[in-house]
Amino acid sequence: MRIATAKETYIADEGLLTTRTQRAWMIVLALVLVLAPFVLNAYWLYLACLVAINVASATGLNILTGYTGLVSLGQAAFMAVGAYAVAFLDGHLGTPFLLNIFAAGFVAAAVGVLVGVPSLRVKGLYLAIATIAASFILHFVFTSWVSVTGGMSGVNVAPARLFGIELASPFALYFVVVPITALMVLAAANLFRTRIGRAFIAIRDRDISAEVLGIPLLQYKLMSFALSSFYAGVAGGMWAYFFRVVTPESFPFATSIFFLAAVIVGGLGTILGPILGAAFMTLVPELLKYVVEWLGPVFPNAGAALSPVRTIVFGALIIFFLMFEPQGLAEIVRRIRRFFHLWPFKT
């Protein structure tokens, strides 16, 4: 009878230990999120809410691009659809703000289904170009449908209210934006344990084989577009209540590049990737700004001189990840976890 080695015993128990560790870290993270608004100042609460909104949108794009393999460069346009939907519902119908946010998600999902129709015939670069074309069409609608969107002047959004309490400050909105984003990330994590999520992955890996196995490609591709656009619409709705003004220039094409870069830097096809990527893409420019301010007393006019350098450094960091860690920040975290789990047995 063969006796298992210490390393084999450790690896056999690793699943249970990992589950317990994950639960412990989830509890710690929940406590940090609950206590953060009471510790952070208004500026960092502003950034925390902005990160949460970006995480929600990046998670949606990750469902489409990371898990289904469909490249989209129209995420900002879908966010704009959600933001304008919130502005219209709040301004014309006066419906509750939570209802407005999720209704905005469904409106964006309907638009996403229309945009996703070409995905049956084209993919890769051609699909990306199709989504770019759709974003320009939507931008034209936003500037021309003046009765709904306000044209180039945009529309103002009244502060959100919950049980008669006005949610106008980052402190108040934090308790709405962060829980909604957490629920959306949790829903995405559970999605890929279902038949629908596994079908998305099968389409990403090899769509022809998936079709042979009986997976209707158009149905699931449109479903992926709808889910991704729903996430973007909800994020856009939260964005509208956060900034309280929506214009066609609020969601430029560069924002779509921002979200695609966030997913790539964070790690395609992982749940952790969009969280890390969105946080990285949002916070690193702010941290670089602090570095520039710190150099101010040492170098006169450092702000004006180093402002372009800050942008160059930010771009260089993105290129660094694409070249040396194409699997993103999530893979770095995975390697660190694996090192601390197995370090006594490493040779």
Side-chain angles (χ1 to χ4, degrees), residues 19-243:
T19 302
R20 291 175 178 173
T21 303
Q22 288 175 343
R23 289 176 181 172
W25 278 112
M26 289 294 292
I27 293 173
V28 171
L29 177 60
L31 290 174
V32 170
L33 292 177
V34 170
L35 295 175
F38 301 101
V39 177
L40 301 176
N41 59 28
Y43 175 72
W44 285 103
L45 278 176
Y46 162 84
L47 288 179
C49 292
L50 189 59
V51 167
I53 293 171
N54 290 340
V55 166
S57 186
T59 299
L61 183 60
N62 190 47
I63 293 174
L64 181 65
T65 302
Y67 282 100
T68 316
L70 302 175
V71 180
S72 172
L73 288 171
Q75 197 73 352
F78 298 131
M79 282 187 68
V81 170
Y84 277 112
V86 159
F88 179 83
L89 292 172
D90 188 85
H92 292 78
L93 303 180
T95 47
F97 90 99
L98 285 177
L99 178 62
N100 293 343
I101 287 176
F102 288 101
F106 286 109
V107 172
V111 176
V113 169
L114 294 177
V115 174
V117 170
S119 65
L120 184 64
R121 296 292 183 184
V122 297
K123 57 184 178 180
L125 179 62
Y126 300 101
L127 180 60
I129 293 174
T131 57
I132 294 173
S135 67
F136 282 116
I137 292 172
L138 289 171
H139 187 272
F140 174 78
V141 173
F142 300 147
T143 56
S144 302
W145 198 2
V146 179
S147 60
V148 174
T149 65
M152 292 302 297
S153 300
V155 288
N156 294 320
V157 181
R161 302 185 70 88
L162 183 63
F163 304 120
I165 302 174
E166 186 177 275
L167 308 177
S169 65
F171 178 84
L173 285 170
Y174 178 92
F175 293 99
V176 175
V177 172
V178 172
I180 291 176
T181 297
L183 289 175
M184 294 172 73
V185 172
L186 184 62
N190 289 317
L191 172 67
F192 297 102
R193 298 188 179 98
T194 67
R195 177 175 56 86
I196 295 174
R198 291 192 292 269
F200 288 166
I201 295 172
I203 293 172
R204 177 197 66 188
D205 292 341
R206 189 172 292 274
D207 55 354
I208 297 176
S209 299
E211 188 174 25
V212 171
L213 292 173
I215 296 175
L217 294 185
L218 180 60
Q219 175 184 334
Y220 280 96
K221 286 183 177 181
L222 293 182
M223 194 180 301
S224 181
F225 261 101
L227 283 171
S228 176
S229 302
F230 175 84
Y231 273 64
V234 171
M238 294 190 292
W239 191 98
Y241 278 118
F242 188 63
F243 289 99

